[in-house]
Amino acid sequence: MIRCEHLTYVYGRGTPFEATALTDVSLAISTGEVVGIIGATGSGKSTLVQHFNGLLRPTSGRVLLDDVDIHGPRVDRRRIRQQIGLLFQDPEQQLFEETVVADVAFGPRNLGLSDDDARARARRALELVGLPPDRFGPRSPFELSGGEMRRAAIAGVLAMEPRMLILDEPAAGLDPQGRRDILEHVRRLHRDGALTIVLITHSMDAVAQLCERLLVLDQGRLVADGPTRAVFADLSRLTALGLGLPQVTLLARRLGERGLPVRRDVLTIEEARVAILEALAVRGRGVL
Amino acid sequence: MEFFRGLVLGQYVPVDSAIHRLDPRTKILATLLLLTVMFAVREFAGLAILTVLLVAVALAARIAPAYLLRGLRPLFWLLVFAVVLQVFFGEPGGHPMFRWGPVVVTRENLAQAAFYGWRLLLLVLSTTVMTLVTSPMEFTDGLERLLRPFQRVGVPAHDLAMMMTIALRFIPTLLEEAEKIMKAQMARGAEFTRGSLPTRARALTPLLVPLFVGAFRRADALAVAMEARCYRGGEHRTRMHVLRFGPQDLVAVTVVAAAAAFALIPPAAWRGH
């Protein structure tokens, strides 16, 4: 659905502060995928996704949505932004309306929907992120808790009814419960809403749980693109890039080093449980 | 989209050069002197001398001329407006060059317009060069020191300087934040650059509300952080960077003062010798 061809982006061209943010990035993301983007701070993750909905224009190269260049002459950029929902980091900063429901309806209103339709969409979106519209809708967005604000902001993007949802660090700065809630909602949006998901995060655990495929960026270059399991198989490379492994994968490795024959490529707690039990059974120490 | 990329005026470019290393007081005083002289000058020759001086300073400070010119771009229409006004609505009388209906363009008015345009350019150029070679911290330090003699008559030099430091420090932060919020709202279908003026003014609400909320939150956090480190105004504070007026500053001041003096001498006086 989205394809980048030889995408290069230079910030502040022609000033003393010129900096290349992306160099020759080519990739494709298909409908229905859940893709994680990982990379050290400043590796170009946020810059890359801002190309997906046309907020940034490539310095060279092309971005195509369904094989149409999104910077083509007759393309309505607003239509692109409706289809590709992008949630920025710390999205609670974008709240501005007097009530939650009005804020969430901002997107649909911009799409030219009537007030009633926009509100109906807003209510649906609030439902999706677990904020019952009757209870939260009339409140001021500035009275919500951090996690609730974050979810209201996600609803603001969901109300556009996009086909793809890009989330930049959606769980950063939340408490563990808030983090679990957000990730659970993302998972559900993919499963029930058939949304294509792109997740930027520093949490290796989150991508291990959610993403089938990982893109790894390093200093503006795409250095790895493959199934999550395959990417996490190469620890020394990830460490060199300033990244790491999910906790459970690390645990499996450590157990392996201590002599317990556990599969090394586990990604979730459930997989780890099965793998450890199998390994214990092999050793003949019995089963818990 | 980088909305605020074009901003050159007020930008500091950290390069190491003889000009950058000057005492900020030298730079502030020299700029003030030049600005005053620019208003006092009556002849093209004076402007030419000041232009040569500014170009020399920019070259010595290793500022790319193209970058400097870009900084003048926002000024373009103001300049055109001022010049056109001067050409067509200048003083009556003089030698007509051409006529266009009731409008008469005289040689004198054309010269006047060129003179004002040039002066406006120089005014902006000199302040731009000053900010390009002086870091905001140095600038406020210099200003505080220059204002200190006026403390006796009730000018709160330190507080003014501190307020300015903070304001300058947060300009880039706020611009960055504004850009981010604009993009976030554009991702929700907002338009900031299209429509009639009232439409555009209304479109600013989704930008301004979050920006103000953020600014207040930041101000609060900053106040707490300053109090946590026992900040209590200017009394008995020592400085990390002590300003030093060295021989190079003396040279710089002399050069600028000499150029200013030359610029003020009317060419007739030159011919007299």
Side-chain angles (χ1 to χ4, degrees):
Chain A
M1 127 184 224
I2 282 264
R3 205 162 76 233
C4 298
E5 291 176 345
H6 306 290
L7 182 63
T8 294
Y9 188 74
V10 182
Y11 273 107
R13 208 154 43 137
T15 71
F17 305 98
E18 187 171 300
T20 304
L22 291 172
T23 310
D24 195 24
V25 172
S26 296
L27 58 91
I29 295 171
S30 325
T31 305
E33 275 194 287
V34 183
V35 180
I37 302 183
I38 57 175
T41 304
S43 58
K45 305 182 294 285
S46 301
T47 308
L48 176 62
V49 295
Q50 285 178 43
H51 283 88
F52 290 180
N53 73 345
L55 279 176
L56 292 177
R57 201 191 176 103
T59 306
S60 71
R62 295 198 301 167
V63 180
L64 303 114
L65 175 62
D66 298 329
D67 296 316
V68 179
D69 188 335
I70 66 169
H71 290 285
R74 271 180 300 280
V75 178
D76 179 6
R77 231 82 68 203
R78 215 190 285 209
R79 175 110 184 80
I80 304 278
R81 282 171 203 154
Q82 181 269 312
Q83 297 188 53
I84 311 292
L86 171 59
L87 190 80
F88 276 83
Q89 218 169 330
D90 305 318
E92 49 278 9
Q93 280 178 8
Q94 75 193 31
L95 301 171
F96 71 98
E97 275 282 8
E98 284 168 37
T99 64
V100 171
V101 74
D103 199 280
V104 176
F106 177 66
R109 274 204 316 273
N110 285 330
L111 297 177
L113 267 67
S114 73
D115 262 11
D116 286 346
D117 288 345
R119 284 182 94 81
R121 274 205 192 188
R123 293 178 63 88
R124 260 197 313 252
L126 283 168
E127 204 78 72
L128 280 175
V129 295
L131 298 176
D134 285 326
R135 196 149 73 83
F136 287 94
R139 288 171 61 181
S140 160
F142 298 103
E143 309 172 341
L144 303 182
S145 76
E148 289 163 353
M149 274 185 169
R150 188 74 56 97
R151 281 187 275 163
I154 297 180
V157 175
L158 286 177
M160 308 275 287
E161 300 195 344
R163 294 157 60 199
M164 176 191 259
L165 182 61
I166 305 166
L167 302 135
D168 193 344
E169 287 286 7
L174 298 182
D175 58 26
Q177 181 62 45
R179 213 149 47 212
R180 270 197 300 275
D181 284 353
I182 292 278
L183 294 177
E184 187 46 40
H185 280 110
V186 173
R187 189 201 305 276
R188 236 182 273 161
L189 287 169
H190 173 246
R191 201 183 54 207
D192 306 339
L195 245 70
T196 308
I197 304 275
V198 175
L199 179 68
I200 296 183
T201 179
H202 285 301
S203 164
M204 301 298 129
D205 297 303
V207 288
Q209 285 165 39
L210 284 176
C211 305
E212 301 144 2
R213 177 180 157 207
L214 289 186
L215 304 172
V216 186
L217 286 177
D218 179 46
Q219 294 176 25
R221 287 173 195 277
L222 185 63
V223 291
D225 175 357
T228 306
R229 221 177 281 282
V231 171
F232 281 139
D234 194 350
L235 174 60
S236 53
R237 179 138 184 245
L238 286 172
T239 312
L241 296 173
L243 303 169
L245 288 182
Q247 294 294 321
V248 286
T249 316
L250 211 54
L251 173 72
R253 271 180 172 266
R254 294 272 159 82
L255 287 172
E257 283 159 16
R258 299 278 180 94
L260 192 69
V262 183
R263 261 178 53 204
R264 292 179 153 220
D265 59 351
V266 298
L267 291 178
T268 61
I269 294 175
E270 184 52 29
E271 280 180 17
R273 193 180 70 90
V274 172
I276 293 170
L277 286 176
E278 274 172 5
L280 287 172
V282 167
R283 256 202 183 179
R285 282 222 191 128
V287 178
L288 289 173
Chain B
M1 226 159 294
E2 296 166 63
F3 298 97
F4 306 104
R5 186 174 48 182
L7 231 56
V8 176
L9 179 67
Q11 183 74 261
Y12 169 61
V13 179
V15 185
D16 188 39
S17 80
I19 304 289
H20 283 76
R21 280 193 302 268
L22 288 175
D23 189 309
R25 284 171 295 182
T26 309
K27 294 185 236 183
I28 295 171
L29 286 177
T31 310
L32 279 178
L33 181 63
L34 286 180
L35 290 178
T36 319
V37 170
M38 277 168 204
F39 278 108
V41 158
R42 290 271 162 268
E43 309 273 350
F44 276 105
L47 289 184
I49 291 173
L50 294 174
T51 309
V52 169
L53 176 72
L54 269 180
V55 169
V57 170
L59 287 178
R62 311 212 324 255
I63 301 169
Y67 186 63
L68 202 55
L69 288 179
R70 271 181 51 161
L72 297 176
R73 237 178 0 195
L75 201 79
F76 181 75
W77 287 112
L78 177 66
L79 200 66
V80 168
F81 184 71
V83 167
V84 166
L85 219 61
Q86 193 60 41
V87 167
F88 291 113
F89 303 102
E91 283 165 40
H95 304 74
M97 286 177 69
F98 55 87
R99 238 172 249 277
W100 188 40
V103 183
V104 184
V105 176
T106 63
R107 203 187 304 160
E108 284 76 5
N109 280 344
L110 209 58
Q112 273 286 305
F115 185 82
Y116 286 140
W118 192 353
R119 183 157 78 185
L120 193 59
L121 269 179
L122 281 185
L123 289 171
V124 175
L125 264 184
S126 55
T127 39
T128 306
V129 168
M130 214 268 303
T131 62
L132 284 175
V133 300
T134 317
S135 83
M137 288 301 280
E138 283 177 348
F139 179 74
T140 45
D141 257 11
L143 204 65
E144 181 178 350
R145 193 69 192 75
L146 287 173
L147 284 178
R148 206 181 286 170
F150 299 101
Q151 247 169 353
R152 241 170 266 155
V153 289
V155 177
H158 172 77
D159 304 271
L160 281 176
M162 180 54 83
M163 282 194 280
M164 229 163 125
T165 310
I166 292 172
L168 287 171
R169 159 66 185 76
F170 279 100
I171 287 172
T173 313
L174 285 177
L175 284 181
E176 220 169 84
E177 193 153 303
E179 184 164 328
K180 199 193 133 191
I181 295 167
M182 267 172 114
K183 281 177 169 173
Q185 306 299 25
M186 284 167 78
R188 296 205 280 164
E191 288 276 3
F192 292 101
T193 47
R194 247 191 267 175
S196 64
L197 211 58
T199 317
R200 277 204 229 177
R202 231 171 306 131
L204 284 180
T205 317
L207 167 66
L208 292 181
V209 172
L211 199 59
F212 274 98
V213 171
F216 280 117
R217 201 185 39 226
R218 239 181 254 288
D220 227 27
L222 182 68
V224 170
M226 285 169 78
E227 296 224 307
R229 284 179 276 170
C230 304
Y231 174 78
R232 46 188 285 280
E235 272 166 73
H236 310 302
R237 277 172 74 82
T238 53
R239 315 212 133 264
M240 185 161 149
H241 300 287
V242 179
L243 298 180
R244 285 267 281 283
F245 193 88
Q248 68 277 23
D249 292 294
L250 200 61
V251 172
V253 169
T254 314
V255 169
V256 171
F262 274 123
L264 284 175
I265 299 171
W270 292 92
R271 279 193 290 274
H273 285 282

